[in-house]
Amino acid sequence: MKSEHIPKATIARLATYIQVLSEFKREGTDVVSSERLAEACSVNSSQIRKDLAYFGEFGVRGVGYYVQDLITSIKRSLGIDRAWNCGLVGVGNLGRALLRHREFSRKGFILRGAFDCDPYKIGEIVEGMEIVCSRQLPAKVKELSLEIGIITTPPERAQRAANYLVGAGIKGIINFAPSRISVPSHIHLEYVDFFHHFYAAAFHIRFAEHQE
Amino acid sequence: MKSEHIPKATIARLATYIQVLSEFKREGTDVVSSERLAEACSVNSSQIRKDLAYFGEFGVRGVGYYVQDLITSIKRSLGIDRAWNCGLVGVGNLGRALLRHREFSRKGFILRGAFDCDPYKIGEIVEGMEIVCSRQLPAKVKELSLEIGIITTPPERAQRAANYLVGAGIKGIINFAPSRISVPSHIHLEYVDFFHHFYAAAFHIRFAEHQE
DNA sequence: CTGTGAATGTGAATTTTGTAACAAAACCCC
DNA sequence: GGGGTTTTGTTACAAAATTCACATTCACAG
């Protein structure tokens, strides 16, 4: 209910809740109990109620949650009830794949700028977007009101990309490059590395084998 | 030291340690203390020592950790000191991007099979790999010794892909599709959804703004 | 060969997160 | 409109993860 510190895990679960709630909506379910939602998300039902309690009271006692309302409430709580302008730095394989990824705009993250420092790439059009020199970041961040920077450079250039973005006044950075970077504490930084899921899978599979 | 239950977060951090240690190695650093490694990973130094203690004693008291040895030890602990054969189901945009992603083989996850149920795609060659009908999964899983299945289908077909994989005897599944699926408890299942990092960024940025 | 300094490994204390339990609230039926 | 039923929101409790603190171990110097 009050905005004390909110666990990282809660944020991740809220994303899951939205996903599952959207499926319920598609199936035509209007109302859902925390119990039923919990089962679909493979979590405990008090977990759901507690996660939601950080942000407010969204349910009706004795009834449950109205699916559409809850989706709207969670989105507002997370701050994704509006669009976020994003700029992507590093137009390699991964960068291109992200630029092509429809889901971004559908989820409210609008890729408005693509940047690279390779002269051969500058000027090229990818998905209707012109690749711009990274040095122009300060101008473009202001012009396009970019708030979130996406780093998809090779690891050795990630820190420089971060510096450009920070200098240009970006508010948050999502780093897809496999290297640690440092930014001022007022910049929100997230690392994306899906390989740790593969590591986890490898570890658990081998551990299960080792058990017998 | 003993193989009790190992926190998920520990696995994720071990991946970070490998990353940072590899950078140290490239820079020519041979020995590193938990203190210095901790700083580079933005974690507490006892955290590192405790994480490692789940798997054994890898350091030398009064000295620190030998970088190369520690990388090797962590990789062995995670079970990535050998190659893992992977099959990918759903050759859409995301699937193709992953098939093209060099990092997989570099990290020891070998993409050996690509499957789809679209007759227009079957037979097509992507990255030197022929797209095969999903119905042939049982045969191919055995033939190619596939252990990990990667699901990159649209959400509505993810469950069916999972069923095929489970029926074919796969050991673990990494689901990139934005939908929950259910599998028998002996199959290890991981969900990959990098949007929750975007949600977290959006939330924290807006919260920071709201503070003042 | 003993003393000194440094950094690990680990048990104990603390903090955080997750679960259970229940009182408060809303609906429904008679 | 009141009692019963259901399900939330919240508090109290349990479990888990993180951090602290220090005894233990190793390298090295004198």
Side-chain angles (χ1 to χ4, degrees), chain A residues 98-113:
Chain A
L98 294 184
L99 288 173
R100 267 188 235 112
H101 198 16
R102 297 292 138 106
E103 215 53 33
F104 274 101
S105 54
R106 236 177 269 150
K107 294 234 162 74
F109 295 90
I110 318 294
L111 301 176
R112 286 215 182 286

Side-chain angles (χ1 to χ4, degrees), chain A residues 23-35:
Chain A
E23 282 183 42
F24 278 136
K25 187 182 154 194
R26 240 175 285 135
E27 290 168 7
T29 309
D30 289 332
V31 180
V32 74
S33 70
S34 60
E35 198 63 54

